[in-house]
Amino acid sequence: VQRQQMLDGGGIEAPLGADGHYHLRADLNGTSVRFVVDTGATTIALSREDATRIGIDVDGLAFTGQARTANGIVRTAPVLINSFAIGDIHDERVMAVVIEGEMDQSLLGMNYLSRFARVSMEGNRLVLER
């Protein structure tokens, strides 16, 4: 199985997965989280499980927001990720939401992808460059 790799110059390349989606692994607050890259998602959306693994007290969150998903409207809670890193690319204080309902995987949405100067799909590869 091919995995994401860092490119010279600080870019990231990820192969297309067998499920037809691009996946990226990032370290959030020092814990590895696997994301589905979702250009249709406005923000980073964490599953309850991933949020708990990175140290967020999910039971103490206020699920006051809403997001429209393929499965309908879900309630969301805003959170701040202190440290978000993919290889050498490191960001601090990244906004995200935690989805109240069941979610198979966390989503890497546009609020993170827009931090890159270039986001392209070349053949079966996703390339992100700052």
Side-chain angles (χ1 to χ4, degrees):
V1 173
Q2 287 187 318
R3 299 186 191 271
Q4 72 193 40
Q5 58 186 0
M6 300 305 293
L7 302 173
D8 292 340
I12 304 164
E13 179 180 285
L16 186 64
D19 62 357
H21 295 281
Y22 295 101
H23 300 268
L24 284 173
R25 189 166 287 283
D27 287 334
L28 280 60
N29 299 341
T31 299
S32 182
V33 174
R34 185 171 186 252
F35 286 94
V36 172
V37 176
D38 187 350
T39 57
T42 306
T43 188
I44 295 167
L46 297 173
S47 67
R48 291 175 65 96
E49 180 182 56
D50 285 340
T52 299
R53 288 189 324 105
I54 69 167
I56 294 172
D57 176 14
V58 174
D59 293 331
L61 294 177
F63 288 89
T64 56
Q66 288 187 336
R68 184 176 307 278
T69 72
N71 297 327
I73 303 290
V74 294
R75 293 193 331 160
T76 64
V79 294
L80 194 62
I81 301 166
N82 292 326
S83 172
F84 193 111
I86 299 177
D88 297 335
I89 297 172
H90 185 264
D91 292 290
E92 294 181 357
R93 302 180 55 78
V94 176
M95 292 298 303
V97 297
V98 176
I99 301 294
E100 184 178 46
E102 289 299 312
M103 212 167 76
D104 292 340
Q105 291 185 66
S106 293
L107 305 176
L108 192 61
M110 290 304 295
N111 73 319
Y112 183 76
L113 297 174
S114 66
R115 293 171 178 252
F116 291 86
R118 187 167 84 94
V119 177
S120 63
M121 291 169 197
E122 302 170 10
N124 288 333
R125 302 175 308 135
L126 172 71
V127 179
L128 305 175
E129 292 178 322
R130 285 238 162 135

